[in-house]
Amino acid sequence: MVEFSRRQALAATAGVAAFAAASSARAAKPAAAPARKAAPVVVDLGPRERTSLDFDWKFHLGHAQDPARDFGYGANQRTYAKAGADAPNWWVAAAAQKTFDDSAWTPVTVPHDWAVTLPFENNPDYKPSGKPDDEDLRAAHGYKAIGREFPQNSIGWYRKTFALPAVEPGTRLSIEFDGVMRDAVVMVNGYVLEHEESGYASFRVDITDIANVGGDNLITVRVDASLGEGWFYEGAGIYRHVWLVKTAPVHVPQWGVFVKSKVDGTLEIETDLANEGDEAVAFELVHTVLDGAGKPALAVAPAAGRLPGWQRQSLSQTVTLANPVLWSLENPHLYTLVTEVKVGGAVVDRYATPFGVRSVRFDPKEGLFLNDKHVKLQGTCNHQDHAGVGAGIPDTLQTWRIEQLQSMGCNAYRASHNPATPELMDACDRLGMLFIAETRRMSSDPTSLDEMERLIRRDRNHPCIILWSIGNEEPQQGTARGRKVAKTMKRLVNRLDPTRGVTAAMDSGFGDGITAELDVIGFNYRHEKMDDFHARFPNLPIIGSESGSTVTTRGEYLRSDAKSYVPAYDTDHPWWATTAEKWWSHAADRPWMAGGFIWTGFDYRGEPTPFNRWPSISSHFGALDTCGFPKDNYYYYRAWWRKEPLLHLFPHWNWEGQEGKPVAVWVHSNCDKVELFLNGKSQGVREVKANHHVEWSVPYAPGVIEAHGYKDGKVILRQRRETAGPAAAVRLTTDRSALAADGQDVGILKVEVVDAKGRVVPKAEDLVTFAVTGPGEVIGVGNGNPTSHESDVASSRKVFNGLAQAIVRTKRGQAGEVRVLASAPGLKPASLALKAG
């Protein structure tokens, strides 16, 4: 370890100013939007290169049991005998050879999830036990035909040829995978170079010795999704980004910079340097801090040293950033540390590290403080899938999902129960969303610790992260053995990142086992135990790591076991959970409870509680459905998690055949009082109690129900529900009309079936077909129906209770107008134009 102390801030040199100006000029100019939407600073990393390998892959299913249908992989015991062999009796697999004909394989772009394209398969062997938590285990992953029972669907092969131009002697080459689900074998030019079992951990493959520099190279990836790591839909395949990285022999290794900041401007910069060359090299290390606009904010005095061949060295420098702009929920300001490595006076490597300056403190009596400002956690837990695309979520859609949660008033996100994709956390940094990062496996075995180390090294510069979570409802949570495991894991966390605390989500054993090793304890439900626990352990901060778990089906207001639907009122929940209203009113009234994370923000595939049986294929827990369409509970949270006045009236008012029968009418509102009218006649005024709803029982009559929200005796909001007529037309809207022609950007299209007056038909289920002209394509469709077995990768979809969604992706390098036509039999069609450029 080489220590440098640099307290003084140095004036930026002309060279630094010129570099920063050039970097800023290369960044895309942000559109007129709030500061929180500002584009990230783009830094020219040259001479380092980091380029996308997401395009031009070929894909084909293999076979988990029959080598002949698995391209010869494992056909004989000599599979790993001769590295790089090209003779059929010695090669690893036919598909790993350059001469293999893959013309019949399917072209794909990653992120790619092949599981989402598989059929749904019932389980004829399931026999209900009648117990409260009874479940069909195949339901857990959403009845997709994948796993050991489906060997023909559980192996995926990917092939890609890429050219490598001539490079400087000694150049190091690697491929970085952000995540592959699951058990991936990576082959380059016929050589097996990596075997990564984790479906969530990012990993790197060094290809320097194997690459054909100045020629074509073949990368082949065999992915085995026969076994899972979760009890929820996980997807299958290369479902995160892939990168080709070129560096000089002396360089910053992957995740090699860590910036520890304090709100007074103190920055402790830890930098790893690697010399992957034969000769010892004298180097100079230069850091520059850019502000959120890409302008120089601080130049750090250079550090010099000598690095022997094939060794690594860590350097620590402490400097002061004058008048730092703090990262906060309201102003998520990001700095960028640009690290330059010089050899012989020339820059040989450049590395960029976004970071934020902020403080996080959990107080056992008063909760969470961000920059010494009290913040109540208004969080959601979420899995990593979306309608239409499964686990292969485009970056734009990741951002869109965060924005939907923020529109509800959500300020925190728990990645449940695994490391998230980097772009999700980038979005949280940029938009101002707090984050709990969670490792997948609570174990102290070398593999699990290695996966957790990669998570922390990769993500510790994200200002959004407030806690590291080491487990969720683990079998050993309340035991002495569990405490030993937690102690080992925490020791590793503290070594890698001493700036954040450790938590775990517990559902039993509170006070025992791992409790003693936690900096913040997470309660999964069991809110009735919190008061007693706080009295026993007054110095241990508490969060609701999973809370609520109301089960609702969007647009449904009567329970139907036959259809596997539950009403959208805040009334139904499993025995171990509570309603939204009950948990939040409990949390809001207790200052020592730092807040909580509802289970869940979005519905997700699998775990279809309360109907863990066919035909259910997705959960009912979300405040939003699998498409991101709000359910009624979304508005409960919005009423109490945001400051602006809100009035939300439900249900719809189409109850044909129920004339004269009572209908439960609810309002979520933060007004003082609400008055309800039926066809102009008052049904009474209800006073709104903080963190609660109001309701009426109204005999159904066609027409209009209308709610008036009062503040200080005056009507400030009105909302009405009208009896809609027959379906007459399709209405099509998009989240934005201008897209990047990069082959990755997407537009999220909302489909509504409306009557002749433009009112959404609340029970419509028309089949809508999408036709696209121009440089774009529909990559996925959905409707939020938790029992729909329609294909997600298709050109048509039925609306569910009036709504559906289509995701349209641009084509790489093709600018122009993308026109989408949405049509349904007997209805007036709708179209819109997206501009790709």
Side-chain angles (χ1 to χ4, degrees):
M1 171 74 76
V2 179
E3 295 284 350
F4 294 88
S5 180
R6 297 287 186 267
R7 289 284 180 185
Q8 72 277 22
L10 304 178
T13 65
V16 170
F19 158 72
S23 298
S24 181
R26 290 183 179 92
K29 293 182 179 179
R36 63 195 300 117
K37 302 286 186 180
V41 171
V42 178
V43 174
D44 182 357
L45 298 179
R48 174 187 289 256
E49 295 181 27
R50 189 172 190 259
T51 55
S52 172
L53 289 181
D54 286 350
F55 300 98
D56 302 323
W57 290 85
K58 291 289 194 74
F59 172 79
H60 203 285
L61 288 174
H63 202 283
Q65 294 178 359
D66 185 354
R69 288 187 282 174
D70 203 32
F71 308 105
Y73 183 80
N76 59 65
Q77 287 298 102
R78 295 194 266 192
T79 301
Y80 287 94
K82 300 288 184 181
D86 56 11
N89 56 327
W90 291 106
W91 66 30
V92 176
Q97 303 305 307
K98 286 189 175 182
T99 56
F100 179 80
D101 181 9
D102 62 9
S103 59
W105 288 29
T106 303
V108 298
T109 296
V110 301
H112 174 253
D113 174 7
W114 89 70
V116 77
T117 67
L118 296 176
F120 298 96
E121 191 77 24
N122 195 0
N123 182 10
D125 297 326
Y126 170 63
K127 300 294 188 294
S129 69
K131 296 180 180 179
D133 287 331
D134 179 56
E135 62 174 332
D136 180 355
L137 295 182
R138 197 179 287 176
H141 282 72
Y143 283 106
K144 281 296 184 178
I146 197 167
R148 293 198 66 192
E149 297 173 287
F150 304 96
Q152 72 279 13
N153 296 335
S154 300
I155 304 293
W157 286 82
Y158 294 83
R159 282 171 50 95
K160 175 183 172 63
T161 299
F162 62 98
L164 270 176
V167 297
E168 291 292 326
T171 297
R172 307 302 298 178
L173 304 168
S174 62
I175 298 174
E176 294 178 357
F177 291 85
D178 287 344
V180 179
M181 183 59 67
R182 179 190 180 271
D183 198 0
V185 177
V186 180
M187 295 156 268
V188 176
N189 296 330
Y191 286 78
V192 176
L193 298 186
E194 187 63 64
H195 181 194
E196 175 59 52
E197 291 187 358
S198 171
Y200 299 103
S202 299
F203 63 98
R204 173 181 174 271
V205 182
D206 190 310
I207 67 170
T208 304
D209 295 341
I210 306 303
N212 294 323
V213 177
D216 289 336
N217 293 264
L218 171 67
I219 177 172
T220 310
V221 184
R222 181 183 185 269
V223 184
D224 187 348
S226 299
L227 304 179
E229 298 177 57
W231 50 101
F232 40 84
Y233 177 88
E234 297 183 280
I238 307 177
Y239 73 110
R240 294 179 180 174
H241 294 301
V242 185
W243 308 92
L244 174 66
V245 180
K246 303 178 186 179
T247 64
V250 179
H251 62 274
V252 177
Q254 186 181 33
W255 314 321
V257 176
F258 181 25
V259 183
K260 291 182 281 188
S261 65
K262 296 181 179 179
V263 294
D264 65 359
T266 301
L267 305 180
E268 184 180 344
I269 305 169
E270 295 181 0
T271 309
D272 293 337
L273 285 181
N275 180 2
E276 296 181 348
D278 295 329
E279 304 297 328
V281 174
F283 68 85
E284 188 176 60
L285 184 68
V286 180
H287 293 299
T288 305
V289 177
L290 307 180
D291 65 16
K295 298 178 180 179
L298 173 67
V300 181
R306 188 172 181 83
L307 187 55
W310 300 106
Q311 289 193 23
R312 291 194 176 196
Q313 198 171 93
S314 182
L315 300 93
S316 180
Q317 297 165 274
T318 301
V319 298
T320 300
L321 177 66
N323 302 314
V325 179
L326 302 187
W327 185 93
S328 66
L329 299 179
E330 300 78 17
N331 181 30
H333 184 269
L334 291 173
Y335 289 96
T336 302
L337 178 72
V338 180
T339 302
E340 292 182 327
V341 182
K342 295 183 178 181
V343 174
V347 175
V348 298
D349 190 33
R350 188 173 284 125
Y351 192 89
T353 306
F355 71 96
V357 179
R358 92 292 181 261
S359 68
V360 171
R361 174 170 58 89
F362 281 91
D363 185 280
K365 296 181 180 179
E366 299 181 69
L368 171 65
F369 289 82
L370 179 66
N371 303 329
D372 285 329
K373 177 183 177 181
H374 184 261
V375 174
K376 196 82 166 182
L377 289 171
Q378 299 168 176
T380 64
C381 300
N382 294 285
H383 284 311
Q384 54 169 26
D385 65 275
H386 190 90
V389 295
I393 301 179
D395 297 350
T396 304
L397 183 55
Q398 298 278 15
T399 298
W400 183 87
R401 284 165 58 91
I402 294 297
E403 291 172 338
Q404 305 319 297
L405 295 174
Q406 287 185 317
S407 72
M408 184 175 73
C410 175
N411 63 14
Y413 188 111
R414 176 174 170 232
S416 309
H417 303 283
N418 47 263
T421 191
E423 289 72 27
L424 175 64
M425 283 172 296
D426 290 342
C428 290
D429 282 345
R430 194 171 63 254
L431 298 175
M433 174 75 78
L434 301 176
F435 200 95
I436 293 182
E438 190 161 281
T439 193
R440 173 67 291 276
R441 297 191 289 176
M442 185 181 177
S443 178
S444 55
D445 66 272
T447 300
S448 297
L449 291 178
D450 175 63
E451 291 174 10
M452 186 175 73
E453 179 166 353
R454 280 182 274 163
L455 163 67
I456 295 171
R457 286 188 180 276
R458 188 192 72 175
D459 295 339
R460 59 189 176 178
N461 288 300
H462 287 284
C464 64
I465 295 179
I466 57 173
L467 288 168
W468 300 109
S469 176
I470 61 173
N472 176 78
E473 299 183 3
E474 304 298 333
Q476 70 267 31
Q477 61 189 326
T479 67
R481 175 179 293 159
R483 181 176 181 180
K484 293 178 182 178
V485 171
K487 187 173 184 178
T488 298
M489 297 180 77
K490 184 179 181 182
R491 183 167 59 246
L492 176 60
V493 173
N494 289 342
R495 176 172 66 82
L496 297 170
D497 179 14
T499 71
R500 296 176 176 90
V502 171
T503 190
M506 300 180 67
D507 66 341
S508 65
F510 303 106
D512 299 323
I514 69 175
T515 304
E517 304 302 326
L518 302 179
D519 300 306
V520 177
I521 188 170
F523 269 70
N524 277 11
Y525 317 105
R526 315 305 193 268
H527 292 163
E528 71 281 359
K529 298 179 181 291
M530 284 187 183
D531 289 356
D532 178 65
F533 181 89
H534 178 62
R536 292 169 54 209
F537 300 91
N539 296 318
L540 183 59
I542 298 174
I543 61 172
S545 42
E546 289 181 21
S547 302
S549 281
T550 301
V551 286
T552 62
T553 307
R554 177 183 56 77
E556 296 291 328
Y557 299 96
L558 298 172
R559 183 183 177 98
S560 174
D561 286 5
K563 292 183 177 180
S564 298
Y565 295 157
V566 280
Y569 302 108
D570 186 22
T571 54
D572 287 43
H573 59 82
W575 66 266
W576 37 263
T578 64
T579 63
E581 191 169 301
K582 185 173 182 180
W583 93 265
W584 179 247
S585 60
H586 177 278
D589 290 343
R590 287 159 174 77
W592 47 262
M593 185 178 173
F597 296 78
I598 67 171
W599 190 266
T600 50
F602 296 88
D603 281 347
Y604 55 93
R605 296 168 184 272
E607 207 173 39
T609 311
F611 305 106
N612 287 307
R613 51 171 170 73
W614 186 266
S616 292
I617 51 93
S618 67
S619 82
H620 294 71
F621 292 121
L624 304 102
D625 68 15
T626 53
C627 293
F629 295 135
K631 302 184 191 178
D632 294 296
N633 259 13
Y634 163 99
Y635 295 97
Y636 168 77
Y637 290 111
R638 183 163 178 164
W640 304 112
W641 284 4
R642 294 181 62 122
K643 294 180 179 179
E644 67 269 20
L646 179 122
L647 184 70
H648 175 69
L649 169 66
F650 62 104
H652 60 74
W653 208 238
N654 278 67
W655 297 94
E656 294 83 354
Q658 303 297 311
E659 286 75 10
K661 295 181 180 180
V663 175
V665 176
W666 283 34
V667 168
H668 291 314
S669 180
N670 50 20
C671 294
D672 297 336
K673 297 179 180 180
V674 178
E675 185 172 11
L676 181 70
F677 296 86
L678 171 62
N679 292 327
K681 183 179 179 181
S682 177
Q683 304 297 299
V685 178
R686 301 285 189 268
E687 185 173 341
V688 179
K689 181 181 177 183
N691 303 309
H692 291 73
H693 76 283
V694 293
E695 64 178 277
W696 296 257
S697 179
V698 180
Y700 175 64
V704 179
I705 54 171
E706 184 168 343
H708 292 183
Y710 292 86
K711 196 76 171 178
D712 298 326
K714 297 180 180 180
V715 176
I716 61 169
L717 292 173
R718 292 181 173 87
Q719 191 175 53
R720 56 196 283 144
R721 300 282 180 240
E722 300 182 25
T723 304
V730 176
R731 185 160 62 208
L732 189 62
T733 54
T734 181
D735 65 313
R736 58 205 175 96
S737 57
L739 307 178
D742 59 4
Q744 292 282 17
D745 202 4
V746 297
I748 298 113
L749 276 57
K750 179 180 180 181
V751 179
E752 299 169 288
V753 170
V754 298
D755 68 6
K757 294 184 177 180
R759 299 171 296 199
V760 174
V761 180
K763 297 181 181 180
E765 53 182 23
D766 301 80
L767 179 66
V768 177
T769 299
F770 303 95
V772 180
T773 56
E777 59 184 336
V778 173
I779 62 168
V781 292
N783 60 14
N785 184 348
T787 60
S788 173
H789 295 169
E790 299 170 271
S791 175
D792 283 80
V793 182
S795 60
S796 61
R797 186 74 163 197
K798 287 184 177 180
V799 297
F800 175 60
N801 290 334
L803 303 179
Q805 184 178 80
I807 301 169
V808 174
R809 186 173 64 195
T810 61
K811 294 185 177 180
R812 183 171 50 145
Q814 299 183 36
E817 182 180 88
V818 180
R819 183 159 290 277
V820 183
L821 175 68
S823 60
L827 305 183
K828 182 181 178 181
S831 68
L832 57 76
L834 305 173
K835 183 180 180 181

